[in-house]
Amino acid sequence: PIAAPMTTADTLRSEGNALFKSGRYSEAEERYAAAIAALAGAPESEEARKCRLNRCACLLRLHGYEAARREAETVIEQSGGTAAKAHFRLGQCLDALHEPQAAAAALTQAIKLDPKAREPREALEAVRARLKAQPQLELVLDDLRLVEERALRALCHSDLSRSRQQLELMLKQARAQAGTLGR
């Protein structure tokens, strides 16, 4: 009974790998998702982890950063935190989501788990270089997250026209602050 889903999942993963290599990321992502579904009875298997990490790579290429983040976090949780590649993928997601400190932490963990891996080192160097080149970047990103949070709260708790005015004012202030950093 378990052999059939594993065979199906392995076939789907192989198809996904071929599609990924040819740059057809959306189709590859669908194959990996189907393989994960086929492994529903064994979600913590090594095959399922490989499919999740491959799906994560596709989602990164398709700019589906939050979904990619969830896949990487799932593999980290299921592996007990020992999956170096999952930490690397999480670092890539966090970097794309403009969370450089968290990205650096995930990439550092990937390096600790697999010291010989080249990609996490290069990604960590790039994150650190951006932070060093723009020391105010983390503060601006925090401010923008705060603006977004306040805007969403305003939309939930007040009338639409007032919320729009508040949102426009907050965005104007955030843009002005970001503009002063760009100079």
Side-chain angles (χ1 to χ4, degrees):
I2 287 219
M6 289 295 257
T7 303
T8 301
D10 189 50
T11 300
L12 289 166
R13 186 170 65 85
S14 294
E15 290 173 7
N17 291 346
L19 290 164
F20 185 90
K21 287 177 185 172
S22 67
R24 295 164 57 188
Y25 306 118
S26 183
E27 293 171 65
E29 184 275 330
E30 290 172 4
R31 295 302 192 294
Y32 295 133
I36 293 165
L39 293 168
E44 295 186 20
S45 69
E46 186 62 29
E47 184 70 18
R49 288 185 195 144
K50 288 178 184 177
C51 290
R52 287 190 184 284
L53 289 173
N54 290 352
R55 181 170 185 256
C56 181
C58 289
L59 291 166
L60 281 164
R61 297 287 178 105
L62 296 168
H63 305 282
Y65 304 125
E66 281 296 339
R69 177 185 194 165
R70 286 189 298 274
E71 290 292 3
E73 288 172 340
T74 297
V75 173
I76 290 168
E77 181 182 320
Q78 291 176 346
S79 71
T82 61
K85 195 169 196 174
H87 285 281
F88 169 58
R89 294 274 188 250
L90 178 60
Q92 290 178 300
C93 296
L94 293 167
D95 188 28
L97 289 166
H98 307 292
E99 297 182 34
Q101 295 294 347
L107 293 167
T108 299
Q109 186 61 29
I111 294 166
K112 285 180 185 176
L113 292 168
D114 186 2
K116 295 178 183 175
R118 177 186 48 82
E119 289 178 315
R121 287 187 187 290
E122 291 173 355
L124 180 59
E125 288 172 15
V127 169
R128 286 182 175 162
R130 276 195 307 282
L131 284 171
K132 187 176 180 181
Q134 299 174 332
Q136 295 293 322
L137 179 62
E138 188 68 24
L139 295 173
V140 170
L141 292 172
D142 286 342
D143 287 346
L144 289 175
R145 281 190 277 279
L146 184 61
V147 166
E148 180 182 22
E149 182 183 315
R150 286 180 181 170
L152 290 172
R153 205 175 306 134
L155 285 171
C156 291
H157 298 293
S158 66
D159 67 80
L160 230 41
S161 67
R162 183 166 183 240
S163 295
R164 181 175 177 208
Q165 290 170 347
Q166 288 176 339
L167 179 60
E168 287 173 352
L169 178 62
M170 286 188 288
L171 287 173
K172 184 177 179 181
Q173 291 170 343
R175 285 184 184 129
Q177 184 182 9
T180 61
L181 284 175
R183 293 181 190 151

